[in-house]
Amino acid sequence: MIKYWLYIRIGLVFLAGSTITVAQEIEPTMDINVDDLGNVSDEFQENFFEALKQKAITNYEKAIDALDKCIALDAKPLYLYSELGKNYLELKQYDQAVVNFTKVLDDKPNDRYLLELLYEVYFKQRKYKEAAEVIEKLVVFDITYKEQLANLYYLENRYDEALVIVDNLIDELGSDQYRMQLRKKITQKISNPDSQIARLEKKIKENPKEEQNYLNLIYLYSQDNQEAKAYKIAKELLDKKPKSKLVHLALYKFYLDDKKTDDAIKSMKIALSSKELEAEPKYKVINDFLSFVDQNPSYEGELMEVVKQFSDTSENSKIFTEIGNYFSKKNKKELALDFYERGIKDNVTNFNVLRKMLLLQLDLKRYEKAKEGSELAIEIYPSQPILYLIHGVSLINLNSPDDAIDILSLGMDYVIDDVKMESDFYDQIGEAYLKKGDVVKATEYKEKSTQLKEKS
């Protein structure tokens, strides 16, 4: 029995010259035994199983030779062409693969296994029109193939059709992050949204309580710079579904533009409290909130109230980092450090945030934290001299001057064409020797530091 491929989800980066990858399960083998071959000669059987053996050890050319011998003996069995197609596919001889798969499909047009193989061939050739025609047949087996179909329509610039497919899929199976991102990317490509607007207006009329149709229409109007209409639809949705949280993702912007500040703040809070709101839109709301508070500092308390809702999870790390940047600009060091520390937990590879956090820890005399953090950071960024400098300063203040001298001396090897930093290293080595009570060495390094400062 054929074991069909599991459902394939295509990951696409929708950019000019984008890379396309296909994530899929390893192709299962067809279980063929002697009884499946039908009434064939011993020589036919011998060649056929030789073909399977050669294919199993990736000798695809030899497998094809053996199959050709089978065809010379009896050209009727369709499984010969299926096997030929698979071997040509492995050899990337796609045209030959298509010829052989098509021979089987002419007789068995609804063979799902062969349709999936043919789809793979067309996709690898970037023949998206032909791939779409195959997927259209596969949809009857599994509705989730509509995701591939929408992607293929997108690649063919058939944006309206792609959007209809995605919306139908969401109606039938519900939304998830992938489908909503796919929908957004398709919508951004639509240059004339009139037909989609008309379609959504009709869907709202038919089902006035379906929230997603309103949200989609708001987005389309906004994309088309029809802000007044988008605002009107948002208010209609709020009227129909007063408990909706996602509508506030649009409303807060309209309220800000309308100078309804208190309503805007209220909408921001509601939107950010929604468990349905994903990380990226939440991040955007916070950025807008920070921009607003920057211009209106009296609302900083509202910002802090909103932030209390956020747990220290990886999806919120970017949000905490942005809030840290905000307080850092305001020179509110304690608050900035608190948010950087919350944001860095799942963002340790962000060097700029790491550096800001460690420097603030030094500035606020959190020497133990600065020591531990810089030690870990050096493992990630072993050629960044600032990390050695921070580590050394921490050790000096924790009464470990010998260790400080060692780490500072090591860090100096990474200072290149930076007189000020080199001077700082000499200065801190001098401080370490002072801590040891070695005034002669301390003076020597302090003088080197002074000389470099004078040069710069």
Side-chain angles (χ1 to χ4, degrees):
M1 179 184 290
I2 295 174
K3 297 178 181 177
Y4 292 129
W5 287 357
L6 296 178
Y7 163 66
I8 300 169
R9 173 170 276 199
I10 306 171
L12 294 168
V13 182
F14 294 118
L15 299 170
S18 62
T19 301
I20 301 172
T21 59
V22 181
Q24 66 184 56
E25 297 295 318
I26 295 172
E27 179 196 341
T29 58
M30 292 182 70
D31 300 320
I32 298 178
N33 55 47
V34 175
D35 294 335
D36 295 323
L37 299 185
N39 187 19
V40 293
S41 67
D42 290 344
E43 186 181 354
F44 183 103
Q45 288 183 26
E46 184 180 336
N47 280 304
F48 183 78
F49 285 109
E50 176 66 16
L52 293 184
K53 184 183 82 172
Q54 294 299 333
K55 177 173 175 284
I57 58 176
T58 70
N59 287 333
Y60 304 115
E61 292 92 344
K62 289 184 178 180
I64 290 168
D65 289 342
L67 289 166
D68 284 339
K69 289 175 183 176
C70 289
I71 291 171
L73 293 166
D74 185 351
K76 290 179 183 178
L78 292 174
Y79 53 78
L80 294 174
Y81 305 103
S82 174
E83 286 299 312
L84 271 175
K86 286 190 285 183
N87 281 285
Y88 281 122
L89 175 56
E90 294 291 349
L91 291 170
K92 298 182 181 179
Q93 295 182 26
Y94 298 125
D95 290 339
Q96 284 297 321
V98 169
V99 167
N100 283 282
F101 290 146
T102 303
K103 281 182 182 178
V104 183
L105 288 166
D106 284 343
D107 191 69
K108 300 168 67 178
N110 297 318
D111 187 318
R112 177 176 175 178
Y113 181 76
L114 265 296
L115 286 170
E116 287 171 334
L117 288 171
L118 185 60
Y119 163 69
E120 183 183 354
V121 175
Y122 284 138
F123 192 85
K124 285 183 174 179
Q125 289 180 294
R126 296 180 180 248
K127 291 184 175 180
Y128 302 127
K129 181 176 181 295
E130 291 84 350
E133 289 170 356
V134 177
I135 289 292
E136 285 165 358
K137 296 175 183 176
L138 282 166
V139 165
V140 300
F141 296 105
D142 188 341
I143 191 176
T144 50
Y145 277 112
K146 285 187 177 181
E147 285 182 357
Q148 284 99 311
L149 190 56
N151 276 320
L152 292 165
Y153 284 165
Y154 179 95
L155 291 167
E156 290 188 87
N157 304 326
R158 294 161 63 180
Y159 304 123
D160 286 312
E161 292 170 84
L163 195 56
V164 170
I165 290 289
V166 172
D167 282 347
N168 288 343
L169 184 60
I170 290 170
D171 287 344
E172 293 173 77
L173 296 183
S175 63
D176 63 12
Q177 184 177 357
Y178 176 82
R179 289 170 198 148
M180 295 312 291
Q181 287 177 344
L182 175 59
R183 190 186 193 286
K184 184 178 179 181
K185 288 179 183 296
I186 294 168
T187 305
Q188 288 171 341
K189 288 289 187 179
I190 292 176
S191 57
N192 182 4
D194 291 347
S195 64
Q196 295 299 334
I197 287 171
R199 184 173 65 85
L200 286 168
E201 286 174 340
K202 182 182 176 185
K203 290 179 80 171
I204 288 170
K205 191 173 180 180
E206 292 170 350
N207 188 2
K209 291 191 176 180
E210 178 53 53
E211 181 179 22
Q212 192 60 51
N213 292 328
Y214 290 91
L215 296 173
N216 292 343
L217 185 55
I218 291 166
Y219 184 77
L220 269 179
Y221 275 136
S222 298
Q223 283 287 105
D224 200 40
N225 297 316
Q226 298 187 56
E227 298 298 333
K229 288 185 177 180
Y231 193 4
K232 179 174 176 289
I233 296 298
K235 287 189 284 189
E236 281 181 23
L237 173 55
L238 191 62
D239 183 56
K240 291 281 192 307
K241 296 196 74 173
K243 292 185 179 180
S244 170
K245 290 187 174 182
L246 290 180
V247 68
H248 292 279
L249 196 57
L251 275 174
Y252 84 86
K253 280 182 164 295
F254 300 135
Y255 287 146
L256 283 176
D257 293 340
D258 221 10
K259 308 298 182 188
K260 295 180 178 178
T261 302
D262 290 337
D263 287 336
I265 296 293
K266 184 180 176 183
S267 283
M268 284 183 184
K269 288 180 179 179
I270 293 170
L272 290 168
S273 71
S274 171
K275 292 180 180 177
E276 300 169 67
L277 193 63
E278 293 171 1
E280 279 307 309
K282 192 182 289 186
Y283 177 67
K284 191 173 186 312
V285 175
I286 279 291
N287 269 321
D288 287 339
F289 206 158
L290 291 172
S291 297
F292 173 77
V293 174
D294 193 35
Q295 300 298 316
N296 303 273
S298 61
Y299 285 90
E300 199 170 276
E302 301 280 0
L303 173 65
M304 297 304 291
E305 188 181 326
V306 167
V307 170
K308 288 176 185 175
Q309 300 175 32
F310 298 145
S311 58
D312 290 357
T313 56
S314 58
E315 70 171 19
N316 292 326
S317 62
K318 281 177 68 177
I319 290 171
F320 292 136
T321 297
E322 282 305 311
I323 298 171
N325 289 336
Y326 167 80
F327 284 119
S328 181
K329 280 197 310 181
K330 298 291 182 182
N331 204 32
K332 296 186 176 183
K333 296 178 181 178
E334 292 277 2
L335 284 169
L337 177 57
D338 177 53
F339 284 105
Y340 282 145
E341 287 178 343
R342 292 173 72 181
I344 203 67
K345 289 178 183 178
D346 292 282
N347 202 20
V348 290
T349 56
N350 188 324
F351 175 74
N352 287 329
V353 176
L354 199 56
R355 180 178 57 82
K356 288 177 184 178
M357 182 192 75
L358 292 169
L359 288 171
L360 277 172
Q361 286 173 341
L362 277 189
D363 202 14
L364 295 170
K365 300 182 174 15
R366 312 280 172 81
Y367 299 123
E368 189 63 44
K369 280 190 170 183
K371 184 196 81 148
E372 292 174 3
S374 56
E375 191 170 17
L376 289 171
I378 286 169
E379 291 181 16
I380 303 170
Y381 300 103
S383 61
Q384 289 290 343
I386 185 66
L387 300 177
Y388 294 87
L389 188 59
I390 292 168
H391 195 56
V393 172
S394 303
L395 289 167
I396 291 167
N397 284 280
L398 291 169
N399 296 313
S400 298
D402 289 323
D403 291 337
I405 291 167
D406 289 342
I407 201 72
L408 289 166
S409 300
L410 180 61
M412 281 199 71
D413 292 340
Y414 298 104
V415 180
I416 300 170
D417 298 329
D418 190 336
V419 175
K420 184 182 182 308
M421 184 167 283
E422 188 178 356
S423 169
D424 289 341
F425 268 92
Y426 282 133
D427 190 50
Q428 291 305 319
I429 292 173
E431 287 294 325
Y433 277 115
L434 273 179
K435 197 72 129 177
K436 281 167 61 74
D438 190 336
V439 178
V440 174
K441 279 284 189 183
T443 302
E444 177 189 335
Y445 280 96
K446 290 285 184 180
E447 285 177 357
K448 286 182 179 181
S449 174
T450 301
Q451 289 168 6
L452 284 172
K453 285 175 184 173
E454 289 171 353
K455 284 182 183 178
S456 61

